[in-house]
Amino acid sequence: VLLIFFYRWHFLEKASLFGRMVFRRGSHLPKRLTREDHEITPKEMIPDHATIPAKLRVKGENFFKKAEQELKKGGLAEAEKLFIKAIAMDPSHVEAHAKLGAIYLNQEQFGKAELIYRKLVVAVSDDPIYFSNLGLALFHQKKYAEAKDFYEKAIELDPGRAGRFYSLARINHLLD
């Protein structure tokens, strides 16, 4: 299972480097992002929790708990490995994906963070934090037009965060 996860992760990482990351159509996405060339394939989506065997979900949860403990100690590298193992055991573990994405943002690995958050905005389409973090990852890769769309969606879902308006203003300034 770990080998299959690593192969898929490695393939997806290479795909993002060449701009071939695709996005699933969805009504929760801005219209500019629903083109076919932005579509996530079913294999790349976070699967439904019910489709994962209970034994693997338990193993994934154990790795997740160990990763959180390691994160509290400040061991980002070890926590990253444990979150990856948790996702390998239970690919439906949304929190593990979110924490791994946050680690990648913290380590300035914006390509990897983009992959994680693209999956999360498809799986959890009503969480403004995922849209905002995806916008941040795209911003740091100088993909300003896409970042703008995701920040706008985050603001639409939760207009109470001033930082998102500031980020959107920075992007608009760079695009003008």
Side-chain angles (χ1 to χ4, degrees):
V1 173
L2 271 167
L3 185 61
I4 292 170
F5 175 78
F6 176 76
Y7 177 76
R8 284 180 54 201
W9 173 79
H10 181 72
F11 175 76
L12 289 175
E13 180 62 21
K14 293 293 184 192
S16 75
L17 292 174
F18 296 104
R20 289 180 277 165
M21 184 64 198
V22 290
F23 219 89
R24 180 174 66 94
R25 288 182 199 256
S27 60
H28 62 282
L29 298 175
K31 289 192 190 297
R32 284 186 4 207
L33 298 176
T34 57
R35 296 186 321 257
E36 252 182 61
D37 61 328
H38 287 102
E39 195 166 321
I40 284 184
T41 64
K43 280 192 228 176
E44 296 167 339
M45 285 191 280
I46 296 174
D48 185 43
H49 195 63
T51 62
I52 308 299
K55 188 176 179 180
L56 290 178
R57 287 196 313 259
V58 169
K59 286 182 180 180
E61 187 62 31
N62 290 337
F63 279 120
F64 178 78
K65 288 177 182 174
K66 288 177 187 175
E68 280 193 317
Q69 290 172 354
E70 196 62 40
L71 201 55
K72 287 178 185 174
K73 293 181 203 172
L76 283 180
E78 187 60 30
E80 175 188 355
K81 291 175 188 173
L82 290 167
F83 282 128
I84 290 171
K85 287 180 182 179
I87 293 168
M89 290 295 126
D90 181 5
S92 70
H93 203 300
V94 172
E95 283 184 74
H97 282 87
K99 299 258 180 162
L100 183 60
I103 287 174
Y104 288 150
L105 283 176
N106 192 1
Q107 294 174 338
E108 298 181 1
Q109 297 182 35
F110 301 115
K112 290 180 181 181
E114 176 189 353
L115 290 173
I116 297 290
Y117 285 112
R118 282 196 186 273
K119 289 181 181 185
L120 285 169
V121 298
V122 170
V124 185
S125 62
D126 61 347
D127 193 328
I129 293 171
Y130 300 152
F131 284 93
S132 185
N133 287 346
L134 178 54
L136 179 64
L138 292 166
F139 174 81
H140 284 289
Q141 296 177 77
K142 298 183 178 15
K143 298 177 181 178
Y144 302 127
E146 275 188 276
K148 177 183 176 181
D149 292 334
F150 285 106
Y151 273 118
E152 286 173 346
K153 183 62 181 177
I155 290 169
E156 179 185 315
L157 292 170
D158 179 19
R161 292 221 182 237
R164 292 185 185 132
F165 288 98
Y166 174 75
S167 297
L168 185 58
R170 280 180 60 194
I171 291 170
N172 283 328
H173 177 73
L174 291 168
L175 288 174
D176 288 339

